[in-house]
Amino acid sequence: MAEVKIITEHYDKDEFISLEGYKKFDGYKMLKKAFKMSPQQIIDEVKSSGLRGRGGAGFPTGVKWGFLPDNGEERYLLCNADEGEPGTFKDRKMMERAPHQLIEGMIISAFAVNSHKGYIYIRGEYSYAAKVLEQAIKEAYDAGLLGKNILDSGFDFDLDIYRGAGAYICGEETGMISSLEGLKGQPKLKPPFPAIKGYLGKPTIVNNVETLASVIYILRDGVDGYRKYGTEKSAGTKLFSVSGNINKPGTYEVPLGYPLMDLINNECGGLKPGRKLKAVIPGGSSAPVLTAEECQKANMDYESLAQLGSMLGSGAVIIIDDSNCMVDMLNVIMHFYHHESCGQCTPCREGTGWLHKVVSSISSGTGRLQDIDLVDEVASRMMGRTICALSDAAAMPARAFIQKFRNEFEFYVREGRSKVKGVTDAQL
Amino acid sequence: MLNCKVNGKEIKVKQGTLVIDAIKQADYDVAHYCYHPGLSVAGVCRLCMVKIGDNPRLQIACNTPVQEGMEISNEDEQVKDAVKWGLDFHLINHPLDCPICDQAGECELQIQYMKFGQYDPEMAEKKVKKRKVVDLGSKIVLDTERCILCSRCVRFTDEVSKTNELGIFNRGDRSEVGTFEDKPLENDYALNTVDICPVGALTSKDFRFRQRVWYLKNQSTICTGCSTGCNVKVYYNEEGLFRVKPEFNEDINGYWMCDQGRDVYKFVNKDFRLLEAQSVTEGQAEPLSAGKAAQLAGEKLKELTKVNGPESVGVVVTGQYTNEEYESLFDYMVNKLKVKNIYHWVNNSDTMDDFDGLLLRGDKNPNTYGLKEIMKKYSIQTNMSDLEGAIKSNTIKTIVVAGPENQAVYPDFNERASLFSQASNLIWFSAGPVSAATSKHTLVIPTKTYAEKSGTYVNYKGTHQSSHKVTTIVRGALSLSDSVTLMSGESILTKPVGPQKAMKTNFFVNKSGEL
Amino acid sequence: MEAFSDDILVFIKKECSRYETRRSAIIPCLYKLQEKRGWISPEQIGQLAVAMDIPPVQINEVMKFYTMFNQQPVGKLHVQVCNNISCTMNGSRELTDHLCKTFNVKSGEVSSDGRVTVSKVECLGSCDTAPMMQINDEYYENLTPESATKIIEKLGK
């Protein structure tokens, strides 16, 4: 097996960015096909395809669409382009290289869920991608692909872009909705879920960039064609953002279920000479770390990684070689969650700070032996106790690092220096 | 009605009841900070965790409606652990300044730690430092370090007062409650934020550092600040009254009261009171006991009505007394003395019907409605404006005034007092001193305030509310009813007047905006 | 205090009617205000509150929630070096230290000539080209301490 370029087939071509170029490679052809189908048919196709949300949670997209109430209220389709999970950059690539793919995916999805207004919520730092998208949206409006009576189908859809302004939490769908509503990007209590009461209290579907683009190829290849790749429960291909200590970092599209070691050694060109694999974070910084041994058994799909106690997440694969100190790395991760907790729920607000302080004191050589267990104890009490999953996202890596690399933490406490680097974090 | 079980106890609750309220209904304690029945659900303190059925994921009780057959537990070990840790998360960055914190004794952190916590804290890191003693204007002081970010106060200014002064700034454990650029929090309901603050983050300048709450008793009564008649609790001890807080009444004031009403206790305290009766004849003042004065007044009135006729007596009544007092006064005047010149003293006729849309009404009397009812009952139709002519033409020679106990809300007080003083005889029932009463023969008799007597007030919409005696501040004062009894020549059981003890003055009361 | 220029007022008005709710225009308007000086002052928040007819506290809450809004002056070149996992693994800390030393600033502070601010930021979604930095709106990738210094010096001219 090797890379399978379905979504990313034309990403190497600059002309794919413009409407004209996009059309050259069958762009907007599936939109025409969609308009010949009934919305329910599209929903059924997406359901049968087994497509699961590509943002991180992996919830079946067709099922999510099916939650919309049939009450005549206006509906919103929001694209979550607030890609903030450390290690993830595939959505940026998609928007910069194929803006029309996202727009087409959104129009088809909007038609399927009968929404007439959509927003692409893009993280504020992605200003280049935002410009590319703005230009593409303008082209689409000029070509009658957005607005009233698209391609004489009788279907109306308006699409606008909204820039975030620097908050990881806005990647959480209700945090994103709050932000779009002009509030602090704090997640909302659930229930009600966005499909029932979302943006401005109206039924709302929030899908990731890659999820929306995938809809095009489900229509193109049919359910069977789509399911040709991937596993029974993790269907299709997926974009992986690979980074860290690796020869060829980048975005790779491979079928779900692809062996992690193949991805590392084949697509990504292996590790730097003389280096040994120490660990891999397989699904963004929130995903529990895998040891080198576990990596041998890991396949890149939802089930396989869950079995190993980790998760596929956003598909951000961070390769860690033996030159890294795990205490140091955990400190970087804990700094991130401490910085990004929205501050709403007490266990997360206080817990992320507490974890960061304890790990930081270990990594500055002043930790106590009981601090190692304390990290695990505190983290365990942050899980499943808050409105959104950020608290869990901070707790999971903390617990996994301690559990799997305990000897490095103990060494640090006993010797007051890193086992790998020989000095403390502050001395580096 | 829905059936559910709380910790094994079967109860029935109304459709739509939240689990947190069901737990309270079943008489169990439930830890919580952010939930407040008068505000929207925030669900952020994460303390009211419950186990529902065998769902392994704990739910928050404040955002979960009861469903038929629901089995709720907050005594499960998993819940206890979650609550204990939830408290610890609240406390790790909380400053340990309880000894100098005004909330101590009624602080929810202390109370809930004793109920649900009692663990050994493991936090060994440095606490987050935040701003302390932030001056939010004439009424409130903010300590952001003590704040547990429950957002009750923010929701209050957003949803109830709709004044939007408060917000929470920054993220994570750097989050800080405050106003934009420390602007003062001066809306008419601002002090409710102090009440609902579960910790010592928002404290009242009026109450700060005056009493430890465990030295105070409290008693439910009715606020007499305006015709709304909010249900309140008065906090007091032998030194006097110290503060007023709202008490829930769905039909009258909900959970709130206005800030003006909170000041109403002040005139009750001795510093502002008439402690004994005064008889002034041709400028010669002579103190005497209230009982003696009332008896004297009765004898005088009997004499004067006999000599000059009942038409020569005018009675001026304010809307500040209880129904029971009106009843005895009117019975005495109309039936016994045949006096029918009874006038309703309206203090601020221009703003009488004002209403701010929430609680605050322009009629600054607790019982205008009750007074009007009694006047109707005795078929009294008089006009206060006729009184002036009658005094000047000497048709009315004697004036009896049932004056306001809260003189501050009577802007025409001195003007009226000098008018009444033109009559040759003046008998004035008053809670506070009346220096402007300077008639040839003046008798000022000290009356009890609302906090010192029980009785009925009828609010703006005709709701009768019984008010209960809180305490006695001026032992020599009489209720209007007692005065009337004595005036009629009958006797009441009175206690001897003891020595008056001076009350401690609050340095902060009159120093708005200073700390 | 300087009054809002006409183009800003026109922008605010336009954004206020662009979305379903006026509040959604807060972020776009804050971006607009930041464009000119690189940061947003409390006075500007007050002015914006009047122009948008939204309580100032709500605008302040939004501004202080999002890290891209600067509450203090920043240098003409706002150099933000990603210090998250993949960048740290590829030398972003050394890069930040080098830049701070070279331009004689502490992390997060403005250089004495007002030209450069170097700050550490969280993941910018460019992990495959680590280490990287963002200067104002632009990304600069696959850096070495030397190449980053050159870029800043060139932009500073």
Side-chain angles (χ1 to χ4, degrees), chain A residues 76 86-89 92 117 119 123-127 160 162-166 179-185 199-200 243-245 249-250 285 319 324 328-329 335-336 339 425, chain C residues 18-21 23-28 31 58 61-62 65-69 83-86 88-90 93-94 97 122-129 134 137-139 141:
Chain A
Y76 291 93
T88 321
F89 45 85
R92 177 164 80 99
K117 182 67 194 264
Y119 284 100
R123 65 179 294 190
E125 294 87 345
Y126 284 180
S127 65
D160 203 349
Y162 194 89
R163 279 181 74 194
S179 181
L180 185 59
E181 289 170 343
L183 308 165
K184 293 181 282 185
Y199 177 55
L200 301 172
S243 66
N245 305 129
S285 65
I319 317 292
N324 293 283
D328 191 13
M329 296 219 58
H335 180 278
F336 173 74
H339 185 260
D425 198 14
Chain C
R18 176 171 173 178
Y19 310 99
E20 286 74 11
T21 161
R23 281 183 75 141
S24 299
I26 296 175
I27 288 180
Y31 269 126
Q58 291 175 354
E61 277 190 323
V62 170
F65 189 82
Y66 299 97
T67 51
M68 285 178 71
F69 297 126
N83 265 259
N84 212 292
I85 317 172
S86 299
T88 308
M89 289 163 74
N90 284 287
R93 269 192 261 196
E94 294 75 7
D97 292 346
E122 296 301 346
C123 184
L124 290 169
S126 195
C127 323
D128 53 340
T129 55
Q134 185 184 18
D137 260 359
E138 299 281 321
Y139 277 23
E141 303 166 315

Side-chain angles (χ1 to χ4, degrees), chain B residues 42-308:
Chain B
V44 294
C45 77
R46 316 305 291 179
L47 274 184
C48 64
M49 291 282 185
V50 288
K51 197 168 166 70
I52 292 177
D54 45 16
N55 185 348
R57 194 186 158 95
L58 301 180
Q59 306 291 315
I60 49 169
C62 66
N63 192 43
T64 312
V66 174
Q67 281 169 4
E68 177 57 37
M70 206 178 233
E71 292 194 12
I72 302 154
S73 165
N74 77 335
E75 291 190 327
D76 184 274
E77 285 308 314
Q78 201 189 344
V79 175
K80 283 186 182 167
D81 181 75
V83 173
K84 205 174 79 183
W85 275 86
L87 283 168
D88 202 14
F89 284 126
H90 276 91
L91 283 161
I92 55 165
N93 282 312
H94 189 81
L96 283 174
D97 55 5
C98 309
I100 54 152
C101 178
D102 219 43
Q103 190 83 2
E106 56 181 0
C107 172
E108 286 295 322
L109 287 172
Q110 294 177 333
I111 295 167
Q112 301 198 22
Y113 174 82
M114 293 313 287
K115 271 188 199 160
F116 307 102
Q118 304 211 15
Y119 52 84
D120 291 327
E122 290 185 83
M123 168 80 171
E125 311 302 320
K126 276 191 182 140
K127 287 177 187 270
V128 178
K129 291 264 171 233
K130 289 182 190 170
R131 298 197 313 150
K132 295 181 86 72
V133 207
V134 181
D135 188 352
L136 291 186
S138 64
K139 304 183 204 173
I140 294 170
V141 183
L142 166 67
D143 186 315
T144 66
E145 208 166 74
R146 291 179 189 158
C147 171
I148 54 165
L149 297 158
C150 69
S151 81
R152 280 181 177 183
C153 58
V154 178
R155 281 175 281 149
F156 179 85
T157 59
D158 187 17
E159 298 161 10
V160 182
S161 69
K162 296 190 168 64
T163 44
N164 292 296
E165 292 100 338
L166 288 165
I168 294 173
F169 311 121
N170 304 327
R171 294 199 306 230
D173 60 9
R174 285 88 61 216
S175 298
E176 220 179 274
V177 73
T179 59
F180 174 58
E181 290 287 283
D182 291 346
K183 279 195 177 152
L185 181 56
E186 297 280 15
N187 71 65
D188 288 337
Y189 296 89
L191 285 164
N192 287 293
T193 61
V194 174
D195 295 340
I196 59 179
C197 179
V199 299
L202 292 165
T203 47
S204 152
K205 277 192 181 174
D206 184 35
F207 182 67
R208 251 163 91 84
F209 305 137
R210 286 180 63 201
Q211 278 293 336
R212 278 305 197 183
V213 292
W214 52 84
Y215 293 130
L216 294 176
K217 289 179 267 191
N218 64 71
Q219 168 72 51
S220 302
T221 182
I222 307 294
C223 176
T224 56
C226 80
S227 61
T228 300
C230 291
N231 291 202
V232 296
K233 241 183 195 167
V234 171
Y235 291 74
Y236 68 98
N237 63 18
E238 69 281 358
E239 288 181 22
L241 270 48
F242 284 86
R243 66 172 177 187
V244 180
K245 285 184 175 216
E247 199 167 36
F248 178 68
N249 183 325
E250 199 179 348
D251 300 321
I252 309 285
N253 54 309
Y255 295 92
W256 322 116
M257 73 180 293
C258 74
D259 289 356
Q260 290 180 18
R262 290 172 197 267
D263 280 341
V264 165
Y265 80 87
K266 287 179 182 164
F267 67 77
V268 175
N269 286 330
K270 274 176 196 153
D271 285 357
F272 304 96
R273 293 291 292 282
L274 180 65
L275 302 179
E276 51 193 353
Q278 282 211 313
S279 161
V280 188
T281 313
E282 312 272 0
Q284 286 286 84
E286 186 199 330
L288 67 167
S289 78
K292 190 92 189 146
Q295 281 165 347
L296 196 66
E299 285 159 17
K300 259 180 136 180
L301 281 172
K302 209 169 163 186
E303 175 74 17
L304 288 166
T305 42
K306 202 185 252 173
V307 179
N308 301 328

Side-chain angles (χ1 to χ4, degrees), chain A residues 172-195:
Chain A
E172 198 275 351
E173 59 180 6
T174 57
M176 195 191 98
I177 290 170
S178 295
S179 181
L180 185 59
E181 289 170 343
L183 308 165
K184 293 181 282 185
Q186 292 183 319
K188 298 177 192 248
L189 281 175
K190 286 153 277 194
F193 288 91

Side-chain angles (χ1 to χ4, degrees), chain A residues 266-333:
Chain A
N266 304 343
E267 275 69 32
C268 301
L271 274 64
K272 300 258 159 63
R275 285 291 162 206
K276 262 175 64 191
L277 183 68
K278 185 178 197 172
V280 170
I281 300 173
S285 65
S286 315
V289 65
L290 300 177
T291 60
E293 199 178 291
E294 287 169 322
C295 290
Q296 309 303 318
K297 304 176 272 189
N299 292 333
M300 298 307 284
D301 61 75
Y302 299 101
E303 288 67 35
S304 165
L305 289 174
Q307 246 169 32
L308 290 168
S310 188
M311 58 187 204
L312 187 72
S314 59
V317 185
I318 302 168
I319 317 292
I320 303 166
D321 73 20
D322 58 354
S323 67
N324 293 283
C325 168
M326 297 309 268
V327 179
D328 191 13
M329 296 219 58
L330 182 60
N331 193 26
V332 172
I333 297 173

